[in-house]
Amino acid sequence: MDRQSSVIKKTPQRRGLSLKWKWALGSVAGVFLIFIIFTWFVMQAFATQMMDTEKQQVSSSLNAVTNRLEHINESQMLPAEIDKLLRPDSTNFDQVVNDPVLQQIARKDYTVRVYNENGAQIYPEKGAKIAFHETKKRVIKTERVQGVKMLVGREELRDDNHQIIGHVTVENHLTGYHKTFNRVYAIIAILIVLGLFLIALWGYWLSGFFLRPIDNIKKTVDTINRDPQAQVRVVNEERTPDELTDLSNLLNTMLDRMQRFILQQHQFVEDVSHELRTPVAIVKGHMELLNRWGKDDPKVLDESITASLKEISRMEVLVSEMLDLTRADQVELTFRDGDTDAQELINGIYTNFKMIHPDFTFLIDDDLKGPTIVNMNRDHLEQILIILSDNAVKYSQERKEIHFAASRSGNVVELAVQDFGEGINPEDASHVFDRFYRVDKARSRKQGGNGLGLSIAQKLVEGYGGHIQLESAIGQGSIFRITLPIKQKDQN
């Protein structure tokens, strides 16, 4: 492998706003936008309603003025006459207060203008003269008069004979309207500022409450970063299940797996160092013997070379088995799915071993009704059955008989390999799946065993979610049973 490709680049560290502040500011921005849109629609409806009210008041003013002036003739269209009609001189206070015309025209934000038939302004006599706009019917609309936006109502003025003698204009400067809206806008602005402040505080507190598991995750990761073998995990007992709980559980599972792989790596190195020490020492001893004087003795030379080659071959087998064991440890990562017909495979193993060992009697009890698909790589299941079958042959020296069995129970399939050899006592049976464990070390070494086969089989089976167990009795033999889940698509 290229040296550069094996270098792990350090992940760049970037810091920004914390998630709490992002949550708080995002909540403020979202609520502010929603509030502005909602306020805009409410204010539009409120403005329309208020403008309708102002138009009704202008219309009432037009009615009051035209009704008061409808009995005059063209010759009475004089400022004094009009003022006398609109502002009657009365000593009766109640009459003055309850006069509808005075109620309308006495308002500071109202101006009443009267024009003659020719469009000349005759009332009020003093003050600014506003240009005349002729109209055939009553019109009430907003206009700009001398740069000021106001509500203007216009209507023809007729005498008793319904002859046009002039025009009346009522100007509503909308002072009260604008004051009301300025007050409402000020209240809304204060509410917005206060509301955003309170929402920001609430969002910050709420984000801190909901994101509390993130702090626990960070503390756990920091601890693991300092000590990869630290037995700390994210605790979620007090929380109801949610996405962060799922994330915490996923992290805990990942840490369990990571630490298991680290332990497996350390154990691999220790096991290899331990197991290779003896053959290396033997080879070294023979080489030193040959270096001193043995190379001149053909008999010693032949014995040393033969022993060294034997130990080298054993080391080669040992390294190969150790690599198989390492791959078996990681099978759940590298092989997630598989489609293997358990019935076809166990029958194939049965047929092959009958051919390889003609001096043995092989029997098979197949209760599977047709193809039975399990979620396992075919090579792995075949390797497991070969390991179990080889062990059965090795330890069946007197009664050379091997039984295979296959059956189904619910959603699992059970495969079994039985021998009638020496059997294993309970103390040894509890350790047969340990690495490098050998019941009879001298005999196992003579037969070429390293004590790794059953460890490889167990790792492979458990890596695919299965289970392997041993039933054994001294003098009666052993049965290895494998239980594997059946894929749901299988309809047997």
Side-chain angles (χ1 to χ4, degrees):
M1 180 182 292
D2 187 8
R3 182 177 180 181
Q4 292 182 351
S5 63
S6 64
V7 176
I8 300 176
K9 295 183 179 179
K10 185 177 180 180
T11 303
Q13 302 293 323
R14 299 196 310 168
R15 294 188 62 84
L17 280 177
S18 68
L19 197 56
K20 293 181 181 179
W21 277 111
K22 289 180 180 179
W23 190 323
L25 295 178
S27 300
V28 168
V31 172
F32 176 74
L33 181 61
I34 294 173
F35 185 79
I36 289 297
I37 295 174
F38 176 77
T39 303
W40 184 84
F41 281 107
V42 171
M43 292 302 295
Q44 289 297 315
F46 183 61
T48 301
Q49 182 63 37
M50 286 194 64
M51 185 59 69
D52 290 340
T53 302
E54 296 292 339
K55 287 181 178 180
Q56 290 176 3
Q57 292 178 356
V58 171
S59 180
S60 298
S61 299
L62 283 174
N63 288 335
V65 173
T66 54
N67 289 338
R68 184 64 61 84
L69 299 178
E70 66 179 355
H71 298 294
I72 66 174
N73 53 41
E74 187 175 357
S75 61
Q76 294 175 311
M77 292 287 288
L78 299 173
E81 293 293 334
I82 294 175
D83 189 65
K84 183 179 179 180
L85 291 172
L86 296 180
R87 301 175 186 272
D89 185 12
S90 175
T91 57
N92 188 334
F93 180 77
D94 292 337
Q95 182 180 357
V96 173
V97 172
N98 294 324
D99 190 317
V101 176
L102 282 178
Q103 290 179 358
Q104 298 294 330
I105 67 175
R107 293 175 55 176
K108 292 183 179 181
D109 58 344
Y110 267 60
T111 300
V112 177
R113 301 183 188 277
V114 180
Y115 299 86
N116 61 20
E117 187 179 1
N118 297 323
Q121 180 178 323
I122 57 177
Y123 182 86
E125 188 176 11
K126 298 179 180 180
K129 304 292 184 180
I130 304 302
F132 168 70
H133 295 277
E134 186 176 2
T135 180
K136 298 297 182 180
K137 58 181 181 179
R138 177 178 293 188
V139 176
I140 301 175
K141 62 180 180 178
T142 56
E143 296 179 2
R144 286 197 172 273
V145 179
Q146 294 183 339
V148 179
K149 184 179 181 181
M150 60 181 65
L151 186 63
V152 180
R154 295 186 177 89
E155 187 175 1
E156 294 176 337
L157 182 61
R158 297 176 182 269
D159 58 15
D160 292 335
N161 298 322
H162 298 287
Q163 298 296 318
I164 298 176
I165 59 175
H167 296 81
V168 176
T169 299
V170 175
E171 299 171 355
N172 182 351
H173 297 261
L174 299 176
T175 304
Y177 175 87
H178 291 304
K179 283 184 178 180
T180 300
F181 266 90
N182 290 337
R183 191 177 301 113
V184 171
Y185 287 141
I187 294 173
I188 290 176
I190 294 173
L191 290 177
I192 287 177
V193 173
L194 183 61
L196 293 180
F197 177 73
L198 294 177
I199 290 171
L201 289 180
W202 168 253
Y204 187 82
W205 177 85
L206 191 64
S207 63
F209 176 76
F210 284 132
L211 299 178
R212 193 176 302 166
I214 297 295
D215 295 332
N216 296 334
I217 292 174
K218 184 177 182 300
K219 292 178 182 177
T220 302
V221 173
D222 289 340
T223 304
I224 294 296
N225 190 38
R226 292 191 297 270
D227 180 11
Q229 290 298 96
Q231 296 301 310
V232 294
R233 296 295 183 268
V234 182
V235 181
N236 293 310
E237 284 84 359
E238 299 179 356
R239 285 184 59 87
T240 55
D242 55 20
E243 288 82 356
L244 289 178
T245 305
D246 296 339
L247 178 61
S248 300
N249 294 334
L250 185 63
L251 177 64
N252 290 338
T253 302
M254 185 192 69
L255 291 177
D256 292 339
R257 183 178 296 177
M258 180 192 73
Q259 291 183 345
R260 186 170 72 249
F261 288 156
I262 293 175
L263 289 174
Q264 290 169 355
Q265 183 182 24
H266 290 169
Q267 187 175 3
F268 175 83
V269 174
E270 292 175 359
D271 291 343
V272 169
S273 300
H274 178 269
E275 291 298 318
L276 290 180
R277 187 178 295 116
T278 299
V280 168
I282 293 174
V283 173
K284 181 181 178 182
H286 281 289
M287 293 300 103
E288 289 177 347
L289 175 64
L290 294 177
N291 187 48
R292 288 196 303 269
W293 57 272
K295 57 186 175 182
D296 297 327
D297 188 335
K299 183 179 179 181
V300 173
L301 178 63
D302 182 66
E303 291 178 353
S304 296
I305 292 176
T306 302
S308 299
L309 290 176
K310 182 179 178 180
E311 292 301 322
I312 290 174
S313 298
R314 196 168 80 82
M315 285 190 288
E316 184 180 10
V317 173
L318 175 62
V319 171
S320 177
E321 288 185 348
M322 288 298 298
L323 290 176
D324 287 341
L325 183 59
T326 302
R327 296 189 188 101
D329 283 333
Q330 301 178 5
V331 69
E332 55 186 310
L333 292 179
T334 54
F335 296 92
R336 295 183 181 273
D337 295 309
D339 291 310
T340 301
D341 185 353
Q343 183 191 42
E344 176 191 358
L345 189 57
I346 195 169
N347 278 275
I349 296 294
Y350 161 74
T351 302
N352 292 338
F353 269 77
K354 280 180 61 178
M355 179 181 63
I356 297 173
H357 302 282
D359 54 330
F360 274 74
T361 299
F362 291 93
L363 300 175
I364 186 167
D365 183 11
D366 183 5
D367 290 338
L368 298 177
K369 299 177 181 179
T372 304
I373 307 301
V374 295
N375 182 28
M376 177 178 280
N377 181 274
R378 180 183 177 86
D379 293 340
H380 290 162
L381 183 56
E382 185 176 14
Q383 183 179 9
I384 294 168
L385 293 176
I386 289 175
I387 289 173
L388 300 181
S389 301
D390 276 337
N391 279 351
V393 170
K394 287 179 184 177
Y395 298 102
S396 298
Q397 299 302 316
E398 295 184 4
R399 182 179 173 181
K400 297 185 176 184
E401 183 177 340
I402 309 296
H403 290 184
F404 294 94
S407 62
R408 174 172 181 164
S409 177
N411 292 324
V412 297
V413 63
E414 183 178 283
L415 306 178
V417 179
Q418 179 181 10
D419 66 67
F420 300 91
E422 304 170 0
I424 306 173
N425 63 56
E427 182 180 354
D428 290 324
S430 61
H431 296 285
V432 293
F433 295 108
D434 295 345
R435 299 185 183 200
F436 299 106
Y437 187 83
R438 290 182 284 264
V439 177
D440 186 345
K441 294 180 173 56
R443 182 171 180 181
S444 296
R445 185 177 296 275
K446 182 179 178 181
Q447 294 175 339
N450 292 307
L452 289 176
L454 292 179
S455 296
I456 295 172
Q458 183 188 46
K459 294 296 183 181
L460 288 173
V461 171
E462 293 179 351
Y464 285 101
H467 180 68
I468 183 171
Q469 63 180 2
L470 166 65
E471 298 175 10
S472 184
I474 295 294
Q476 298 181 13
S478 305
I479 303 176
F480 284 91
R481 301 184 188 276
I482 304 170
T483 303
L484 294 171
I486 299 174
K487 274 205 166 182
Q488 293 299 318
K489 67 179 182 178
D490 178 43
Q491 301 298 325
N492 289 334

